[in-house]
Amino acid sequence: MTSTIIKDEIQLSDEQQVALDLLKSGDNVFLTGGAGSGKSFVVRELMKELDSESMPILASTGAAAVLLGGRTFHSFFGIGIMEGGFEATVTRGLKDKKLLKRLAKVDGVVIDEISMIPGEALAAAEYLSQMARESTLPWGGMRVIAVGDFGQLPPVTMAGKKRDWCFQHEVWKKTNFLIYQLKYNQRVQESEYLEVLDQIRRGKLDDKGRNFLNSRVRNHDEDEPGTRLFPRREQSEFYNQKKLKEINQDEFAIPSIYFGEEKFITSLKKNAPVAEELKLKKDCRVLFLKNDAQKRYVNGTRGTVVEIESDHIIVKKDLRDRAGFGREIKVEKMQFSLLDPDGNIKASVIQFPLALAYATTIHKSQGATIDELWCDLSSLWEPGQAYVALSRLRDSSGLHIVRWSERSIITDPAVSLFYSQIDPI
């Protein structure tokens, strides 16, 4: 879970308190809500009181698991990439004694970013839980908390195949979730922008929405501040390095330090938020990749490098950052770890929790808060991409659209139908 809504000194809202109480109730719960509604904040509050051994939090991707300090859904339930389909996957799982023991002893799980979990994967996990716990109850009596927004990024689907939303699978109905929907946007307060975001989430723009987007179209000025959002990783990496080269300062290349089992290190290099080599210059723009235990910054905080030393970096945070108001902070290296399905650390990397902040991908921006962004919405292809991109802002004053096309405002009709039919508490 990667939300960067800065709430360190903010109390739960009334609806968030209701949600938290429901998550503590013992029932199976699906916590949903649009971008910026505070789902991650509620779950963080819940996890303060839960034992991660008896109620682990599971991420939908390896990258999210490294940031969470948790495990992936697929590894925890022993389903991997579902090679060979449902039958082959559960057959392999039933032969794995460690897996069956793990599933038998937990009280339940918290599944983060449930929208990215395919229905077939959810069904395999549920079946294996029943077998491991020797119970015909849904999930063998294991408690399930699911968190996410189906209006954002979808499950990975092979070309030509129907998108496998988990809410369309029989296992979703069988789980009998109590549904709570956070409706108040904690990030955006601007009513006109909220209305446009709602239209984009539903994939139905009216003339007012079109005029709003058109009014934010600008020719791209690379000298202007703000984060660039790209749909593809190579685009964001190219732009970051291009902007770094423009700074007339010495470049520092800081290698990441890895330790652990070789095969897990290979996986960690693929999934860790830090690069194998961090390249920085004095005066370059950076963003933080992890929450700070001292609450000086959170994942997504932005700033400018003031000083680079071997054991620390001084970063002046942006003035609009509500957690510190532009003060300089000393940043030290942190450890990012990859856990095995049983929660044991198998590989770790030590590096400064920083990355260049000139550009990132729409996918990686999910959960982040950005004060000013530039984006090209002319050729997106996934449901929810445009919504994820535009919902990063606190207000529309920081929105600069290079191009946009109504063909990029995509919502899967199945998602629209799902939300129209749910009966949240």
Side-chain angles (χ1 to χ4, degrees):
M1 198 151 320
T2 59
S3 175
T4 64
I5 306 166
I6 302 169
K7 294 177 177 286
D8 298 314
E9 298 177 3
I10 299 176
Q11 300 299 312
L12 289 161
S13 68
D14 289 343
E15 68 168 6
Q16 288 173 333
Q17 185 63 59
V18 172
L20 181 59
D21 291 342
L22 184 62
L23 295 183
K24 294 177 181 178
S25 69
D27 291 304
N28 292 340
V29 179
F30 171 45
L31 175 63
T32 189
S37 59
K39 300 181 295 296
S40 299
F41 180 49
V42 174
V43 173
R44 285 201 300 271
E45 292 300 303
L46 173 71
M47 297 310 294
K48 290 177 181 178
E49 302 181 28
L50 292 182
D51 176 7
S52 61
E53 290 300 312
S54 61
M55 193 82 178
I57 184 166
L58 309 178
S60 57
T61 66
V66 172
L67 274 175
L68 281 170
R71 292 166 261 185
T72 67
F73 173 89
H74 292 77
S75 68
F76 181 81
F77 284 104
I79 61 176
I81 60 172
M82 298 285 290
E83 185 178 1
F86 179 90
E87 294 296 337
T89 298
V90 299
T91 298
R92 285 192 300 271
L94 292 174
K95 297 176 182 177
D96 187 340
K97 292 183 179 180
K98 283 186 68 177
L99 166 65
L100 300 178
K101 182 179 179 181
R102 181 166 67 246
L103 298 183
K105 74 177 185 179
V106 296
D107 295 330
V109 293
V110 178
I111 306 172
D112 186 32
E113 302 293 4
I114 187 71
S115 71
M116 299 177 72
I117 304 293
E120 190 175 49
L122 197 71
E126 195 268 344
Y127 179 80
L128 288 168
S129 299
Q130 282 188 320
M131 296 299 102
R133 300 165 77 90
E134 300 179 350
S135 170
T136 58
L137 290 171
W139 296 86
M142 178 191 299
R143 186 174 181 226
V144 179
I145 294 174
V147 184
D149 175 19
F150 291 109
Q152 296 189 52
L153 296 177
V156 174
T157 305
M158 293 183 66
K161 289 200 172 185
K162 183 181 177 182
R163 192 165 282 108
D164 188 17
W165 294 108
C166 62
F167 62 78
Q168 292 182 309
H169 202 286
E170 183 62 29
V171 69
W172 183 270
K173 183 178 180 181
K174 181 180 179 181
T175 305
N176 195 29
F177 285 114
L178 296 178
I179 298 176
Y180 191 82
Q181 187 169 11
L182 295 169
K183 296 182 178 179
Y184 182 72
N185 194 309
Q186 304 289 328
R187 182 184 297 146
V188 181
Q189 309 299 317
E190 182 187 345
S191 59
E192 183 182 17
Y193 193 38
L194 283 170
E195 184 178 337
V196 173
L197 288 176
D198 183 62
Q199 290 184 22
I200 292 170
R201 187 173 186 268
R202 292 185 287 109
K204 294 182 179 179
L205 282 175
D206 61 16
D207 287 341
K208 185 176 179 181
R210 294 184 190 95
N211 291 337
F212 183 92
L213 294 181
N214 285 330
S215 72
R216 269 40 182 201
V217 173
R218 290 185 58 188
N219 291 326
H220 188 201
D221 184 346
E222 292 193 3
D223 293 328
E224 287 286 325
T227 300
R228 274 64 179 172
L229 291 188
F230 291 103
R232 300 187 186 280
R233 184 180 63 183
E234 58 269 21
Q235 293 173 301
S236 65
E237 289 177 351
F238 176 83
Y239 191 83
N240 275 324
Q241 293 305 314
K242 179 177 181 292
K243 297 302 289 184
L244 186 66
K245 288 177 182 176
E246 293 174 2
I247 300 173
N248 187 24
Q249 296 281 359
D250 292 335
E251 180 174 290
F252 290 79
I254 306 162
S256 295
I257 301 170
Y258 296 89
F259 55 94
E261 298 181 29
E262 191 60 38
K263 67 175 182 178
F264 288 100
I265 288 176
T266 300
S267 179
L268 183 61
K269 287 180 178 179
K270 178 182 175 182
N271 290 299
V274 295
E276 292 185 42
E277 186 176 61
L278 176 62
K279 295 180 179 180
L280 299 176
K281 292 181 179 180
K282 182 181 175 182
D283 300 331
C284 75
R285 300 278 298 140
V286 292
L287 62 84
F288 288 84
L289 300 170
K290 198 169 184 179
N291 294 342
D292 176 38
Q294 300 176 47
K295 301 183 179 181
R296 298 169 300 166
Y297 54 83
V298 296
N299 178 9
T301 293
R302 284 161 168 75
T304 301
V305 171
V306 175
E307 179 184 324
I308 303 173
E309 299 291 344
S310 60
D311 61 344
H312 72 270
I313 295 173
I314 303 298
V315 176
K316 183 175 183 179
K317 296 195 297 181
D318 286 357
L319 290 173
R320 293 188 66 178
D321 186 339
R322 287 177 281 175
F325 301 100
R327 67 190 175 99
E328 293 184 3
I329 55 174
K330 181 179 179 181
V331 184
E332 297 172 327
K333 292 181 178 180
M334 298 178 77
Q335 179 172 313
F336 299 81
S337 298
L338 184 68
L339 308 185
D340 70 6
D342 292 309
N344 303 309
I345 294 177
K346 306 302 290 185
S348 295
V349 57
I350 296 176
Q351 181 58 276
F352 293 107
L354 299 170
L356 293 172
Y358 301 102
T360 189
T361 63
I362 293 173
H363 189 282
K364 283 188 175 181
S365 76
Q366 180 164 287
T369 298
I370 299 172
D371 287 321
E372 188 166 2
L373 71 83
W374 293 74
C375 54
D376 185 339
L377 305 178
S378 63
S379 56
L380 305 183
W381 64 92
E382 285 276 30
Q385 273 185 309
Y387 176 64
V388 169
L390 297 186
S391 58
R392 301 307 95 212
L393 291 163
R394 292 191 178 101
D395 60 71
S396 65
S397 64
L399 175 59
H400 311 293
I401 300 174
V402 179
R403 289 179 295 269
W404 76 278
S405 166
E406 200 148 345
R407 292 189 299 274
S408 291
I409 311 297
I410 308 168
T411 299
D412 192 314
V415 172
S416 300
L417 181 63
F418 170 76
Y419 276 107
S420 71
Q421 292 180 337
I422 64 172
D423 184 22
I425 293 174

